[in-house]
């Protein structure tokens, strides 16, 4: 009810209360508002004024009760959120106050009053949080301070109160006895460490050394969050407790509590612009990345120097894979299970019809499961065939949508809109295979770089899986290809992954801009030069420059026992390359059903061509 809608008697009491409030006679003002509320008990304006009078009198509990009544009467009355937050701050519950202000801003993000209240709270709690950059050297003082602080953070440090030491040891019972709300206002050492940070640091430093028996850092953390500690409280560098919990020597249980129970922001950025996922990419902690991505962490945020987690992940293949899976919404698991009997393992085969994430351990299970799977399988194949035949820009997406509608467990493969309509594609493309010896060595820079960064972060050398560990013996690779010819037929296709070269000037892992919309005839080589180069490739006499040219595509199967390259300069190769640019994962790679026929095989049994279906497969769990 608005002020003008009050009964005359209530209006009189309200005006008297306002007069007392202006004179800072808060008790008298509160009494007047109470008399008005006796006439109109659920008036949000009067309840807000009553809360303000109690705030002026520092009666925090009464102010909180009045503010809660105000919001119960009218949740859209935004000033009530400010009153409630002020009362919570008076009770030294800054975390709860911050949440209330953000709830109000969720209703109206442009409300000046609430924005100013939130800015004031953060300034009082966190102090100077001005940005720093490496490029101009402004980050050096803070980083030097971080270096000094590392050895000093021990239980024996000169903490402002004994409760900091207790928090480091994770003694929940002693903490319950010693903790007082005013401890939330204290900061430790030069780094201005909040009490919540000490819980994380204690778990990181003491758990590996001492037995976890008798330590209950999770219990201490829950006590602090319940008491109103800010999950996103920052130290002098802008680090939150979540930054610390996941970067070096991660404590995943505490990180999970911060996110799920404390509401910690998984994308919070410190004074350098660094966010938890970016820190994790630098430290190489894959399980930390898995946790962050599970709760919606973004990989495309830029720090103050323009670096993203997506770029940094190129140095750690395992984390890079997790990020790509999260981006494409592919289930984060490498464990396959037979749809028929439930048997798990990696030696299961996907349905050859729809190539969805439906696996079988053998023909018997596939036949037994067919009545349940056939509707989804047929719908996916029909949609993919129709899309490919009509030249649709999204045959894979059509197949995935059809399979999903029928209950199939398929991945995502949404097509990207092209600035120029794609030409109609045939159902299959016959693409020349390149086997010059120069292309048989698939070099991986990721594993050594990941180890180097892990050592620099103080984690030591650790076995980090390579994203491209392949046998580089030419004879064995040709033998594997010859074996693939015998197995991959039109009836039993082989799923393969095709990668197009990264465009010049683009770092691996970066998101492409507008998709490649050039026509299949747009190349900078003359037709005659292309024909000569193609002939040399087919004759196995291609030069290294020709084999590793900017239009050459890398191709391999799931376990990388079959590795070769495809000629992207010929007509079919160009069509395949443009298809991946338009519809592939990040415009850089795509998955296809492939096979060989009699015309593909050379005299030595090694293929000179491969046939790929233009209906791209859903993104598998590779």
């Amino acid at each position: 009810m608005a002020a003008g809608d009050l009964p005359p008697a209530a209006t009189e009491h309200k005006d008297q209360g306002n007069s007392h409030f202006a004179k800072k006679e808060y008790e008298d003002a509160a009494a007047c508002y109470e008399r008005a509320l006796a006439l109109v008990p659920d008036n949000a304006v009067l309840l807000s004024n009553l809360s303000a009078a109690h705030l002026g009198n520092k009666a925090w509990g009464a102010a909180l009760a009045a503010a809660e009544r105000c919001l119960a009467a009218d949740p859209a009355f935004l000033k009530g959120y400010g009153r409630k937050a002020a009362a919570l701050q008076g009770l030294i519950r800054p975390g709860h106050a911050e949440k209330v202000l953000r709830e109000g801003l969720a209703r109206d993000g442009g409300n000046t009053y609430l924005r100013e209240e939130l800015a004031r709270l953060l300034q009082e709690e966190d102090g100077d949080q001005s940005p720093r950059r490496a490029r101009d050297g402004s980050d050096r003082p803070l980083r030097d301070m971080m270096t000094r602080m590392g050895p000093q953070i021990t239980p024996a440090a000169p903490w402002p109160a004994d409760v900091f030491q207790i928090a480091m040891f994770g003694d929940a019972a002693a903490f319950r006895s010693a903790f007082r709300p005013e401890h939330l206002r204290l900061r430790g050492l030069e780094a201005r460490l909040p009490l919540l940070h000490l819980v994380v640091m204690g778990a990181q430093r003491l758990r590996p050394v001492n037995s976890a028996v008798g330590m209950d850092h999770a219990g201490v953390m829950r006590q602090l969050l319940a008491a109103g500690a800010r999950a996103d409280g920052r130290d002098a560098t802008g680090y939150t407790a979540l930054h610390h919990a996941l970067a070096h020597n991660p404590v995943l249980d505490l990180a999970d509590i911060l996110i799920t129970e404390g509401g910690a922001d998984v994308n919070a950025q410190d004074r350098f612009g660094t966010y938890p996922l970016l820190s994790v990419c630098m430290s190489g902690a894959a399980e930390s990345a898995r946790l962050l991505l599970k709760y919606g962490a973004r990989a495309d945020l830029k720090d103050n120097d323009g670096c993203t987690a997506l770029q940094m992940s190129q140095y750690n293949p395992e984390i890079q894979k997790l990020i790509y899976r999260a981006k494409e919404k592919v289930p984060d698991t490498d464990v396959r299970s037979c749809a028929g009997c439930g048997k798990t393992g990696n030696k299961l085969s996907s349905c050859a019809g729809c190539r969805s994430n439906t696996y079988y351990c053998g023909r018997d299970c596939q036949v037994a499961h067919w009545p349940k799977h056939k509707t989804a399988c047929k719908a996916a194949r029909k949609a993919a065939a129709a899309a490919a035949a009509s030249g649709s820009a999204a045959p894979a997406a059509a197949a995935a949508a059809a399979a999903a509608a029928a209950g199939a467990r398929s991945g995502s493969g949404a097509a990207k809109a092209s600035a120029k309509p794609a030409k109609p594609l045939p159902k299959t493309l016959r693409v020349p295979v390149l086997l010059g010896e120069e292309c048989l060595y698939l070099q991986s820079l990721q594993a050594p770089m990941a180890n180097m960064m892990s050592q620099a972060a103080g984690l030591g050398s650790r076995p980090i899986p390579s994203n491209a560990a392949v046998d580089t013996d030419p004879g064995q690779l040709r033998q594997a290809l010859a074996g693939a010819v015998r197995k991959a037929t039109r009836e039993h296709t082989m799923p393969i992954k095709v990668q197009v070269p990264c465009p010049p000037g683009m770092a691996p892992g970066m998101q492409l801009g507008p998709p490649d919309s050039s026509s299949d005839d747009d190349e900078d080589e003359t037709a005659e030069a292309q024909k000569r180069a193609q002939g040399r490739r087919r004759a196995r006499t291609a030069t290294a420059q020709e084999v590793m040219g900017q239009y050459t595509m890398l191709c391999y199967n799931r376990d990388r026992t079959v590795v070769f390259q495809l000629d992207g300069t010929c007509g079919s190769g160009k069509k395949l390359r443009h298809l991946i640019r338009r519809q592939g994962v990040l415009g850089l790679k795509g998955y296809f059903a492939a096979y060989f026929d009699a015309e593909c095989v050379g005299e030595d049994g090694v293929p000179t061509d491969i046939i790929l279906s233009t209906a791209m497969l859903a993104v598998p769990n590779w």
Side-chain angles (χ1 to χ4, degrees):
M1 181 183 294
D5 297 331
L6 292 174
T11 300
E12 182 180 353
H13 291 311
K14 174 179 175 292
D15 291 341
Q16 291 174 356
N18 291 346
S19 177
H20 286 300
F21 190 91
K23 299 175 184 178
K24 298 185 179 181
E25 298 168 351
Y26 299 120
E27 287 189 13
D28 293 335
C32 291
Y33 295 138
E34 290 280 14
R35 287 193 289 271
L37 283 165
L39 301 174
V40 279
D42 295 326
N43 185 272
V45 174
L46 290 174
L47 288 166
S48 175
N49 288 356
L50 176 61
S51 179
H54 288 313
L55 288 173
N57 207 31
K58 296 185 179 180
W60 311 120
L64 177 61
E68 288 177 337
R69 287 176 59 194
C70 171
L71 292 175
D74 184 1
F77 190 77
L78 297 180
K79 191 171 285 188
Y81 293 95
R83 304 291 192 221
K84 183 176 179 179
L88 289 168
Q89 285 182 268
L91 292 169
I92 317 180
R93 292 162 57 183
H96 296 162
E98 181 182 356
K99 288 181 180 179
V100 168
L101 290 172
R102 294 192 186 279
E103 286 175 12
L105 287 170
R107 289 181 171 272
D108 180 5
N111 186 274
T112 303
Y113 167 64
L114 294 182
R115 290 171 66 90
E116 290 177 350
E117 286 297 300
L118 180 60
R120 183 176 59 81
L121 182 151
L122 298 181
Q123 174 62 35
E124 290 178 358
E125 288 289 315
D126 298 331
D128 180 18
Q129 292 293 316
S130 55
R132 294 290 182 266
R133 299 181 64 191
R135 289 183 179 178
D136 60 11
S138 60
D139 67 325
R140 291 318 315 166
L142 276 181
R143 296 196 187 277
D144 291 343
M145 184 268 290
M146 293 168 66
T147 303
R148 291 194 303 273
M149 286 294 96
Q152 297 182 34
I153 301 174
T154 68
W159 300 112
D162 291 343
V163 72
F164 279 69
Q165 184 183 62
I166 296 172
M168 283 202 76
F169 279 116
D171 189 337
F175 187 86
R176 188 176 297 107
S177 300
F179 175 75
R180 299 291 180 271
E182 53 267 25
H183 291 148
L184 294 181
R185 289 178 172 164
L186 300 178
R187 296 292 183 270
L189 306 181
E190 183 184 2
R192 300 192 72 252
L193 298 170
L195 194 50
L196 195 63
H197 286 44
L198 266 293
V199 180
V200 172
M201 293 175 171
Q204 289 174 317
R205 286 160 172 77
L206 302 179
R207 278 182 179 177
V209 177
N210 303 313
S211 169
V213 176
M215 292 186 178
D216 187 9
H217 292 92
V220 175
M221 177 171 283
R222 287 191 170 100
Q223 288 184 51
L224 280 169
L225 293 174
R230 291 177 58 228
D232 288 328
R234 298 169 183 272
D235 58 25
T237 64
Y239 276 33
T240 66
L242 190 62
H243 277 88
H244 288 290
L246 292 177
H248 305 295
N249 193 16
V251 280
L252 299 180
D253 59 326
L254 299 186
D256 195 89
I257 292 172
L258 285 168
I259 297 170
T260 59
E261 300 179 29
D265 182 2
V266 295
N267 296 310
Q269 293 180 272
D270 60 24
R271 295 180 69 179
F272 314 109
T274 306
Y275 45 99
L277 185 58
L278 180 54
S279 296
V280 164
C281 288
M282 290 188 277
S283 69
E287 289 306 312
S288 296
R290 192 186 305 274
L291 180 72
L292 287 167
L293 292 167
K294 173 184 175 182
Y295 292 115
R298 291 177 55 186
D300 60 342
L301 293 175
K302 293 182 179 181
D303 69 6
N304 296 347
D305 293 296
C307 182
T308 70
L310 190 60
Q311 291 171 294
M312 191 58 63
S313 70
Q314 66 182 291
Y315 302 118
N316 190 303
E318 187 176 1
I319 294 179
Q320 185 182 57
K321 179 172 66 173
L322 292 172
I323 290 175
Y324 282 154
R325 283 180 173 177
K327 191 174 184 67
E328 296 298 319
K329 295 182 173 59
V330 177
D332 177 25
T333 175
D334 284 323
V335 179
R336 298 178 177 183
S337 61
C338 175
C341 66
K343 177 182 177 181
T344 59
N346 288 326
K347 294 186 177 181
L348 303 178
S349 300
S350 62
C351 173
C354 62
R355 292 297 180 186
S356 66
N357 290 332
T358 303
Y359 298 100
Y360 301 102
C361 62
R363 180 167 177 77
D364 291 343
C365 282
Q366 185 174 15
V367 171
H369 188 255
W370 177 245
K372 297 180 180 179
H373 180 58
K374 66 179 180 180
T375 302
C377 185
K378 289 181 178 180
R381 284 186 290 173
K382 183 177 179 181
S390 64
S392 167
R409 299 183 295 111
S410 61
S412 68
K416 301 173 178 63
S418 173
K420 187 175 181 179
K423 292 184 177 181
L425 285 173
K427 292 184 178 181
T428 59
L429 292 172
R430 185 183 298 269
V431 185
V433 172
L434 302 179
L435 283 176
E437 291 197 7
E438 295 86 351
C439 76
L440 294 177
Y441 183 73
L442 181 58
Q443 184 179 16
S444 172
L445 291 177
Q446 292 179 310
M449 280 299 294
N451 255 328
M452 180 188 73
M453 296 195 69
S454 177
Q455 289 177 328
L459 299 178
S461 179
R462 302 181 300 166
I464 298 178
S466 168
N467 196 34
V470 301
D471 190 337
T472 58
D473 179 74
Q476 292 188 20
L477 285 172
R478 285 197 174 90
Q479 185 178 356
L481 260 176
V485 168
R486 295 188 293 272
K487 295 179 180 178
T489 64
R490 184 189 297 270
E491 292 74 24
H492 300 284
T493 58
M494 170 180 68
I496 62 170
K497 176 180 177 180
V498 181
Q499 294 180 188
V500 297
C502 200
M506 173 182 166
M510 291 178 64
Q511 174 70 53
L512 276 177
D516 183 354
S517 60
S518 60
S519 75
D520 295 334
D521 301 318
D522 293 340
E523 302 296 354
D524 53 10
E525 293 183 284
T526 66
E528 185 178 351
Q530 290 180 28
K531 188 174 182 180
R532 288 198 303 268
Q534 181 179 341
R536 287 194 294 273
R537 293 186 185 101
R538 298 290 295 275
R540 313 287 196 258
T541 59
T543 65
Q545 183 177 2
E546 289 170 335
V547 168
M548 304 304 289
Q550 61 175 316
Y551 301 128
T552 302
M553 295 171 283
L554 177 65
C555 181
Y556 51 90
N557 63 349
R558 179 186 175 92
D559 56 8
R560 294 179 173 82
T561 55
V562 177
V563 181
F564 52 94
Q565 296 206 10
L566 299 177
D567 185 352
T569 62
C570 64
S572 59
K574 285 188 286 185
K575 288 182 173 67
L576 177 62
R577 187 157 47 82
H578 293 323
L579 174 62
I580 295 172
R581 283 277 189 252
R582 294 184 185 111
Q583 300 176 30
V585 179
L586 299 179
L588 294 175
K589 56 187 175 182
Y591 300 85
F592 300 87
Y595 65 93
F596 305 93
D597 61 13
E599 296 180 13
C600 294
V601 186
E603 295 180 358
D604 56 358
V606 178
T608 58
D609 301 281
I610 187 171
I611 301 172
L612 296 88
S613 169
T614 53
M616 293 174 66
L617 301 178
V619 180
N621 291 332
W622 284 23

